[in-house]
Amino acid sequence: MAQPSSHVTAPLKDELDIVIPTIRNLDFLEQWRPFFQPYHLIIVQDGDPSKNILVPDGFDCELYNRNDVNRVLGPKSSCISFKDSACRCFGFLVSKKKYIFTIDDDCFVGKDPSGKEINALAQHIQNLLTPSTPFFFNTLYDPFREGVDFVRGYPFSLRGGVPTAISHGLWLNIPDYDAPTQLVKPLERNTRYVDAVLTIPKGTLFPMCGMNLAFDRELIGPAMYFGLMGDGQPIGRYDDMWAGWCAKVICDHLSLGVKTGLPYIWHSKASNPFVNLKKEYKGIYWQEDIIPFFQSVVLPKDCTTVQQCYLELSKLVKEKLSPVDPYFNKLGDAMVTWIEAWDLLNSPAQEAAAPVDGVKKN
Protein backbone atom coordinates (compact mmCIF):
# COMPACT_ATOMS: atom_id res chain seq x y z
CA MET A 1 0.00 0.00 0.00
CA ALA A 2 1.05 3.57 -0.64
CA GLN A 3 2.68 5.80 1.93
CA PRO A 4 1.38 9.36 2.49
CA SER A 5 2.99 12.26 0.68
CA SER A 6 2.97 15.98 1.39
CA HIS A 7 1.91 19.11 -0.53
CA VAL A 8 -1.47 17.98 -1.86
CA THR A 9 -3.93 20.51 -3.26
CA ALA A 10 -7.51 20.44 -1.97
CA PRO A 11 -9.98 21.44 -4.72
CA LEU A 12 -13.53 22.34 -3.65
CA LYS A 13 -12.60 21.95 0.03
CA ASP A 14 -15.52 24.19 1.08
CA GLU A 15 -18.00 22.52 -1.28
CA LEU A 16 -17.49 18.82 -0.57
CA ASP A 17 -18.18 16.47 2.33
CA ILE A 18 -16.57 13.05 2.77
CA VAL A 19 -19.05 10.46 4.13
CA ILE A 20 -17.74 7.30 5.80
CA PRO A 21 -19.87 4.51 7.30
CA THR A 22 -18.08 2.49 9.97
CA ILE A 23 -18.27 0.13 12.93
CA ARG A 24 -14.63 0.54 13.98
CA ASN A 25 -11.90 3.03 14.84
CA LEU A 26 -10.87 5.06 11.81
CA ASP A 27 -7.13 4.43 11.82
CA PHE A 28 -7.29 4.14 8.03
CA LEU A 29 -7.64 7.92 7.85
CA GLU A 30 -3.96 8.32 8.73
CA GLN A 31 -2.97 7.20 5.26
CA TRP A 32 -5.56 9.48 3.68
CA ARG A 33 -4.52 12.46 5.84
CA PRO A 34 -2.73 14.43 3.06
CA PHE A 35 -5.81 14.13 0.87
CA PHE A 36 -8.71 14.29 3.35
CA GLN A 37 -7.55 16.57 6.15
CA PRO A 38 -8.63 19.84 4.43
CA TYR A 39 -12.20 18.54 4.04
CA HIS A 40 -15.16 18.10 6.37
CA LEU A 41 -15.90 14.46 7.22
CA ILE A 42 -19.27 12.99 8.16
CA ILE A 43 -18.88 9.69 10.00
CA VAL A 44 -21.98 7.48 10.21
CA GLN A 45 -21.48 4.92 12.96
CA ASP A 46 -23.35 1.68 12.42
CA GLY A 47 -24.19 -0.88 15.09
CA ASP A 48 -24.01 -0.27 18.83
CA PRO A 49 -24.32 3.49 19.47
CA SER A 50 -22.67 3.16 22.90
CA LYS A 51 -19.39 2.08 21.31
CA ASN A 52 -16.79 4.83 21.19
CA ILE A 53 -15.35 5.31 17.69
CA LEU A 54 -11.85 6.81 17.68
CA VAL A 55 -10.91 9.27 14.94
CA PRO A 56 -7.29 10.40 14.50
CA ASP A 57 -6.57 13.93 15.69
CA GLY A 58 -6.62 16.83 13.26
CA PHE A 59 -9.64 15.95 11.13
CA ASP A 60 -12.64 18.25 10.88
CA CYS A 61 -15.45 15.75 11.33
CA GLU A 62 -18.72 15.02 13.03
CA LEU A 63 -19.99 11.60 14.00
CA TYR A 64 -23.58 10.37 13.96
CA ASN A 65 -24.75 7.12 15.54
CA ARG A 66 -28.16 5.44 15.57
CA ASN A 67 -29.34 7.61 18.43
CA ASP A 68 -28.59 10.68 16.33
CA VAL A 69 -30.43 9.23 13.35
CA ASN A 70 -33.50 8.70 15.53
CA ARG A 71 -33.15 12.17 17.08
CA VAL A 72 -32.85 13.96 13.74
CA LEU A 73 -35.45 12.03 11.75
CA GLY A 74 -37.91 10.84 14.37
CA PRO A 75 -40.38 8.36 12.82
CA LYS A 76 -38.74 8.85 9.43
CA SER A 77 -35.60 7.16 10.76
CA SER A 78 -37.22 3.88 9.68
CA CYS A 79 -35.88 4.50 6.17
CA ILE A 80 -32.23 4.37 7.35
CA SER A 81 -30.76 0.87 7.41
CA PHE A 82 -29.17 -0.58 10.54
CA LYS A 83 -26.19 -2.95 10.65
CA ASP A 84 -25.41 -2.33 6.99
CA SER A 85 -23.22 0.15 5.15
CA ALA A 86 -26.44 1.52 3.60
CA CYS A 87 -26.53 3.73 6.72
CA ARG A 88 -24.09 6.01 4.87
CA CYS A 89 -26.99 7.71 3.09
CA PHE A 90 -27.87 9.43 6.37
CA GLY A 91 -24.66 11.39 5.81
CA PHE A 92 -25.97 12.41 2.40
CA LEU A 93 -29.12 13.73 4.09
CA VAL A 94 -27.42 15.92 6.68
CA SER A 95 -24.67 17.28 4.45
CA LYS A 96 -25.06 20.85 3.27
CA LYS A 97 -22.36 20.70 0.60
CA LYS A 98 -22.77 20.51 -3.17
CA TYR A 99 -20.61 17.40 -3.59
CA ILE A 100 -20.24 14.13 -1.71
CA PHE A 101 -17.39 11.62 -1.75
CA THR A 102 -18.05 8.37 0.08
CA ILE A 103 -15.50 5.68 0.85
CA ASP A 104 -15.33 2.50 2.96
CA ASP A 105 -12.97 2.16 5.92
CA ASP A 106 -11.06 -0.75 4.35
CA CYS A 107 -9.99 1.34 1.35
CA PHE A 108 -6.56 2.92 1.18
CA VAL A 109 -4.49 5.10 -1.14
CA GLY A 110 -3.56 3.25 -4.32
CA LYS A 111 -0.64 3.76 -6.68
CA ASP A 112 -0.70 4.13 -10.45
CA PRO A 113 1.70 2.02 -12.60
CA SER A 114 4.45 4.64 -12.20
CA GLY A 115 4.31 4.27 -8.42
CA LYS A 116 2.67 7.64 -7.85
CA GLU A 117 0.00 7.89 -5.18
CA ILE A 118 -3.50 8.31 -6.59
CA ASN A 119 -5.39 11.35 -5.36
CA ALA A 120 -8.80 9.71 -5.73
CA LEU A 121 -10.68 12.75 -4.52
CA ALA A 122 -9.09 15.07 -7.10
CA GLN A 123 -9.90 12.66 -9.93
CA HIS A 124 -13.53 12.37 -8.80
CA ILE A 125 -13.78 16.15 -8.74
CA GLN A 126 -12.34 16.35 -12.26
CA ASN A 127 -14.89 13.80 -13.42
CA LEU A 128 -17.77 15.73 -11.84
CA LEU A 129 -16.68 19.14 -13.09
CA THR A 130 -16.41 18.04 -16.72
CA PRO A 131 -19.37 17.01 -18.91
CA SER A 132 -20.52 13.49 -19.70
CA THR A 133 -21.43 12.16 -23.15
CA PRO A 134 -24.26 9.62 -22.68
CA PHE A 135 -25.92 10.00 -26.08
CA PHE A 136 -23.06 8.97 -28.36
CA PHE A 137 -20.02 6.88 -27.48
CA ASN A 138 -16.56 8.40 -27.97
CA THR A 139 -14.08 5.65 -28.82
CA LEU A 140 -11.26 7.55 -27.08
CA TYR A 141 -13.43 7.52 -23.95
CA ASP A 142 -13.73 10.76 -21.96
CA PRO A 143 -13.04 13.58 -24.45
CA PHE A 144 -12.68 16.10 -21.62
CA ARG A 145 -9.50 14.55 -20.22
CA GLU A 146 -6.20 16.22 -21.02
CA GLY A 147 -4.75 15.06 -24.33
CA VAL A 148 -8.04 13.59 -25.60
CA ASP A 149 -10.79 14.94 -27.84
CA PHE A 150 -13.81 13.81 -29.81
CA VAL A 151 -13.00 11.40 -32.62
CA ARG A 152 -13.88 11.88 -36.26
CA GLY A 153 -17.58 11.32 -36.83
CA TYR A 154 -18.71 12.47 -33.41
CA PRO A 155 -21.70 14.81 -33.91
CA PHE A 156 -20.81 18.42 -33.20
CA SER A 157 -24.31 19.00 -31.84
CA LEU A 158 -23.57 16.57 -28.98
CA ARG A 159 -20.06 17.72 -28.12
CA GLY A 160 -21.18 20.04 -25.35
CA GLY A 161 -22.17 17.00 -23.32
CA VAL A 162 -24.39 17.06 -20.23
CA PRO A 163 -23.70 17.77 -16.54
CA THR A 164 -22.06 14.88 -14.70
CA ALA A 165 -24.02 13.72 -11.66
CA ILE A 166 -22.06 10.63 -10.56
CA SER A 167 -18.40 9.59 -10.63
CA HIS A 168 -17.89 5.88 -9.98
CA GLY A 169 -14.36 4.79 -9.10
CA LEU A 170 -12.75 1.34 -9.13
CA TRP A 171 -10.47 -0.81 -6.95
CA LEU A 172 -7.04 -2.37 -6.99
CA ASN A 173 -6.32 -5.58 -5.05
CA ILE A 174 -9.69 -6.97 -3.83
CA PRO A 175 -12.36 -6.73 -6.57
CA ASP A 176 -15.99 -6.02 -5.76
CA TYR A 177 -17.26 -9.56 -6.35
CA ASP A 178 -20.45 -11.26 -5.23
CA ALA A 179 -20.28 -14.26 -2.89
CA PRO A 180 -20.43 -17.04 -5.54
CA THR A 181 -17.57 -15.42 -7.47
CA GLN A 182 -15.59 -14.96 -4.25
CA LEU A 183 -16.03 -18.66 -3.47
CA VAL A 184 -14.78 -19.90 -6.85
CA LYS A 185 -11.98 -17.30 -7.10
CA PRO A 186 -10.79 -16.81 -3.51
CA LEU A 187 -7.27 -15.75 -4.47
CA GLU A 188 -8.10 -13.47 -7.38
CA ARG A 189 -6.76 -9.92 -7.13
CA ASN A 190 -7.14 -7.01 -9.48
CA THR A 191 -3.73 -5.74 -10.60
CA ARG A 192 -4.97 -4.13 -13.84
CA TYR A 193 -4.86 -0.35 -13.86
CA VAL A 194 -6.85 0.92 -16.82
CA ASP A 195 -6.14 4.60 -17.42
CA ALA A 196 -9.61 5.49 -18.66
CA VAL A 197 -12.82 7.29 -17.73
CA LEU A 198 -16.00 6.39 -19.60
CA THR A 199 -19.48 7.83 -19.69
CA ILE A 200 -22.01 5.03 -19.20
CA PRO A 201 -24.36 5.32 -22.20
CA LYS A 202 -27.98 6.30 -21.86
CA GLY A 203 -30.17 3.22 -21.40
CA THR A 204 -27.35 1.15 -19.92
CA LEU A 205 -27.47 0.08 -16.27
CA PHE A 206 -24.41 -0.73 -14.17
CA PRO A 207 -23.65 -2.25 -10.73
CA MET A 208 -22.70 0.80 -8.69
CA CYS A 209 -20.30 0.24 -5.79
CA GLY A 210 -20.39 2.65 -2.86
CA MET A 211 -16.85 2.17 -1.59
CA ASN A 212 -15.26 4.73 -3.97
CA LEU A 213 -18.00 7.03 -5.18
CA ALA A 214 -18.67 10.73 -5.66
CA PHE A 215 -21.72 12.63 -6.78
CA ASP A 216 -23.20 16.07 -7.22
CA ARG A 217 -25.65 16.29 -4.35
CA GLU A 218 -27.58 19.15 -5.93
CA LEU A 219 -28.06 17.29 -9.21
CA ILE A 220 -28.87 13.75 -8.02
CA GLY A 221 -28.76 13.66 -4.20
CA PRO A 222 -32.43 12.68 -3.59
CA ALA A 223 -31.94 9.55 -5.72
CA MET A 224 -28.90 8.36 -3.76
CA TYR A 225 -30.91 6.31 -1.30
CA PHE A 226 -29.24 3.02 -0.41
CA GLY A 227 -32.51 1.26 0.38
CA LEU A 228 -33.58 -0.97 3.26
CA MET A 229 -30.82 -3.48 3.96
CA GLY A 230 -29.25 -5.31 6.88
CA ASP A 231 -30.91 -5.82 10.25
CA GLY A 232 -34.54 -6.90 9.95
CA GLN A 233 -34.43 -7.06 6.15
CA PRO A 234 -34.27 -10.13 3.88
CA ILE A 235 -31.37 -8.79 1.82
CA GLY A 236 -28.01 -7.08 2.17
CA ARG A 237 -25.10 -5.96 -0.02
CA TYR A 238 -27.46 -4.61 -2.66
CA ASP A 239 -27.70 -1.14 -1.14
CA ASP A 240 -25.31 0.67 -3.46
CA MET A 241 -26.53 -1.22 -6.53
CA TRP A 242 -30.14 -0.32 -5.76
CA ALA A 243 -29.15 3.34 -5.50
CA GLY A 244 -27.21 3.04 -8.74
CA TRP A 245 -30.10 1.53 -10.69
CA CYS A 246 -32.54 4.16 -9.42
CA ALA A 247 -30.10 7.02 -10.00
CA LYS A 248 -29.12 5.87 -13.49
CA VAL A 249 -32.74 5.66 -14.68
CA ILE A 250 -33.33 9.15 -13.32
CA CYS A 251 -30.11 10.52 -14.81
CA ASP A 252 -31.15 9.16 -18.20
CA HIS A 253 -34.56 10.78 -17.86
CA LEU A 254 -33.16 14.17 -16.79
CA SER A 255 -30.21 14.12 -19.26
CA LEU A 256 -27.51 13.85 -16.61
CA GLY A 257 -24.28 11.86 -16.92
CA VAL A 258 -22.60 9.02 -15.04
CA LYS A 259 -18.88 8.30 -15.39
CA THR A 260 -16.94 5.20 -14.37
CA GLY A 261 -13.25 4.23 -14.35
CA LEU A 262 -10.61 6.37 -12.67
CA PRO A 263 -9.87 6.86 -9.83
CA TYR A 264 -8.66 3.63 -8.26
CA ILE A 265 -8.34 3.00 -4.54
CA TRP A 266 -6.62 0.05 -2.81
CA HIS A 267 -9.28 -2.26 -1.38
CA SER A 268 -7.45 -3.99 1.45
CA LYS A 269 -9.54 -6.94 2.54
CA ALA A 270 -12.14 -9.37 1.24
CA SER A 271 -15.30 -9.84 3.28
CA ASN A 272 -16.38 -13.35 4.30
CA PRO A 273 -18.01 -15.03 1.25
CA PHE A 274 -20.21 -17.29 3.40
CA VAL A 275 -21.55 -14.31 5.34
CA ASN A 276 -21.99 -12.47 2.05
CA LEU A 277 -23.90 -15.36 0.51
CA LYS A 278 -26.37 -15.32 3.36
CA LYS A 279 -26.94 -11.61 2.75
CA GLU A 280 -27.02 -11.81 -1.04
CA TYR A 281 -28.79 -15.01 -1.94
CA LYS A 282 -32.26 -13.52 -2.35
CA GLY A 283 -30.84 -10.60 -4.30
CA ILE A 284 -29.08 -12.98 -6.67
CA TYR A 285 -32.48 -14.43 -7.56
CA TRP A 286 -34.38 -11.16 -7.43
CA GLN A 287 -31.97 -9.25 -9.67
CA GLU A 288 -33.16 -11.34 -12.62
CA ASP A 289 -36.48 -9.49 -12.20
CA ILE A 290 -35.12 -6.21 -10.81
CA ILE A 291 -32.83 -5.44 -13.73
CA PRO A 292 -35.47 -6.02 -16.47
CA PHE A 293 -37.78 -3.82 -14.40
CA PHE A 294 -35.31 -0.91 -14.43
CA GLN A 295 -34.55 -1.49 -18.10
CA SER A 296 -38.23 -1.07 -18.91
CA VAL A 297 -38.96 1.97 -16.71
CA VAL A 298 -40.26 5.01 -18.58
CA LEU A 299 -40.77 8.05 -16.37
CA PRO A 300 -43.48 10.59 -17.28
CA LYS A 301 -42.38 13.74 -19.07
CA ASP A 302 -43.90 15.87 -16.34
CA CYS A 303 -41.39 14.44 -13.84
CA THR A 304 -38.84 17.24 -14.06
CA THR A 305 -37.12 17.01 -10.65
CA VAL A 306 -35.22 14.18 -9.00
CA GLN A 307 -37.82 14.04 -6.22
CA GLN A 308 -40.70 13.71 -8.69
CA CYS A 309 -38.86 11.00 -10.57
CA TYR A 310 -38.03 9.11 -7.40
CA LEU A 311 -41.59 9.17 -6.08
CA GLU A 312 -42.85 7.89 -9.43
CA LEU A 313 -40.22 5.16 -9.30
CA SER A 314 -41.37 4.18 -5.80
CA LYS A 315 -44.90 3.60 -7.15
CA LEU A 316 -43.55 1.44 -9.96
CA VAL A 317 -41.42 -0.57 -7.52
CA LYS A 318 -44.50 -1.43 -5.47
CA GLU A 319 -46.61 -2.17 -8.53
CA LYS A 320 -44.12 -4.21 -10.56
CA LEU A 321 -41.80 -5.80 -8.00
CA SER A 322 -44.12 -6.64 -5.09
CA PRO A 323 -45.21 -9.84 -6.92
CA VAL A 324 -41.55 -10.93 -6.67
CA ASP A 325 -41.58 -10.47 -2.88
CA PRO A 326 -43.60 -8.40 -0.36
CA TYR A 327 -40.30 -6.77 0.67
CA PHE A 328 -40.66 -4.45 -2.32
CA ASN A 329 -43.86 -2.96 -0.89
CA LYS A 330 -41.88 -2.06 2.22
CA LEU A 331 -39.00 -0.74 0.13
CA GLY A 332 -41.35 1.39 -1.99
CA ASP A 333 -42.77 2.95 1.17
CA ALA A 334 -39.25 3.57 2.49
CA MET A 335 -38.37 5.36 -0.76
CA VAL A 336 -41.25 7.78 -0.12
CA THR A 337 -40.13 8.28 3.49
CA TRP A 338 -36.59 8.98 2.26
CA ILE A 339 -37.84 11.78 0.00
CA GLU A 340 -39.89 13.21 2.84
CA ALA A 341 -36.76 13.17 5.02
CA TRP A 342 -34.69 14.75 2.25
CA ASP A 343 -37.19 17.56 1.77
CA LEU A 344 -37.46 18.05 5.53
CA LEU A 345 -33.71 18.51 6.02
CA ASN A 346 -33.12 20.38 2.77
CA SER A 347 -36.05 22.79 2.71
CA PRO A 348 -35.31 26.55 2.56
CA ALA A 349 -36.55 26.87 6.13
CA GLN A 350 -34.23 24.13 7.36
CA GLU A 351 -31.33 25.60 5.39
CA ALA A 352 -31.85 28.87 7.26
CA ALA A 353 -32.20 27.15 10.64
CA ALA A 354 -29.43 25.86 12.85
CA PRO A 355 -27.54 22.96 11.23
CA VAL A 356 -28.08 19.37 12.25
CA ASP A 357 -25.00 18.41 14.26
CA GLY A 358 -23.48 15.16 15.33
CA VAL A 359 -20.63 14.75 17.80
CA LYS A 360 -17.76 17.01 16.79
CA LYS A 361 -14.37 15.34 16.59
CA ASN A 362 -11.29 17.32 15.60
Side-chain angles (χ1 to χ4, degrees), residues 330-345:
K330 187 177 181 181
L331 178 56
D333 289 339
M335 293 168 71
V336 174
T337 304
W338 163 262
I339 292 298
E340 291 172 351
W342 185 277
D343 289 342
L344 175 69
L345 294 186

Side-chain angles (χ1 to χ4, degrees), residues 37-295:
Q37 192 163 12
Y39 295 89
H40 178 245
L41 278 60
I42 298 176
I43 312 301
V44 183
Q45 177 181 345
D46 198 14
D48 182 2
S50 67
K51 180 179 178 180
N52 186 33
I53 297 292
L54 300 180
V55 180
D57 291 338
F59 286 93
D60 171 24
C61 68
E62 52 191 325
L63 184 147
Y64 296 88
N65 60 32
R66 190 70 202 188
N67 293 337
D68 298 310
V69 173
N70 294 336
R71 170 178 58 83
V72 172
L73 294 181
K76 292 180 173 57
S77 64
S78 61
C79 72
I80 304 299
S81 298
F82 185 58
K83 295 186 178 178
D84 192 278
S85 64
C87 68
R88 80 178 76 222
C89 61
F90 179 77
F92 308 162
L93 270 181
V94 298
S95 171
K96 300 302 178 187
K97 303 292 178 64
K98 178 174 172 56
Y99 300 101
I100 294 287
F101 171 57
T102 185
I103 187 172
D104 284 3
D105 60 14
D106 61 350
C107 295
F108 293 85
V109 180
K111 287 185 177 181
D112 67 19
S114 73
K116 181 181 178 182
E117 290 181 332
I118 300 165
N119 186 341
L121 195 48
Q123 179 66 54
H124 276 301
I125 290 170
Q126 180 182 336
N127 292 347
L128 290 170
L129 294 183
T130 53
S132 294
T133 53
F135 305 126
F136 200 87
F137 189 76
N138 191 52
T139 52
L140 280 180
Y141 311 126
D142 188 348
F144 296 97
R145 292 188 69 198
E146 185 176 352
V148 185
D149 211 321
F150 293 97
V151 298
R152 182 171 55 90
Y154 200 101
F156 282 86
S157 60
L158 297 177
R159 294 190 181 195
V162 301
T164 300
I166 299 172
S167 172
H168 178 256
L170 299 175
W171 340 271
L172 295 168
N173 195 37
I174 305 295
D176 186 29
Y177 284 163
D178 54 33
T181 308
Q182 283 183 290
L183 287 167
V184 298
K185 294 184 172 182
L187 301 180
E188 185 154 292
R189 300 293 182 266
N190 180 39
T191 59
R192 297 178 66 245
Y193 180 96
V194 180
D195 187 11
V197 178
L198 290 76
T199 294
I200 300 175
K202 181 178 181 180
T204 299
L205 297 174
F206 75 111
M208 189 173 81
C209 173
M211 74 172 90
N212 176 22
L213 180 72
F215 61 93
D216 186 321
R217 190 174 173 276
E218 294 180 0
L219 286 181
I220 199 62
M224 298 298 282
Y225 174 50
F226 278 46
L228 284 178
M229 304 281 156
D231 192 53
Q233 309 303 333
I235 185 175
R237 283 175 55 84
Y238 273 78
D239 52 327
D240 42 9
M241 292 185 289
W242 180 262
W245 294 327
C246 292
K248 183 58 165 63
V249 166
I250 293 173
C251 282
D252 287 351
H253 178 75
L254 297 178
S255 295
L256 300 171
V258 179
K259 293 182 180 181
T260 188
L262 301 180
Y264 284 88
I265 50 84
W266 179 273
H267 186 204
S268 66
K269 66 174 188 253
S271 48
N272 187 308
F274 297 100
V275 173
N276 290 347
L277 186 59
K278 185 177 179 180
K279 295 177 180 179
E280 292 175 357
Y281 79 95
K282 286 191 175 181
I284 291 170
Y285 286 108
W286 291 349
Q287 69 186 17
E288 302 305 319
D289 293 297
I290 294 171
I291 292 171
F293 160 73
F294 280 109
Q295 288 173 327

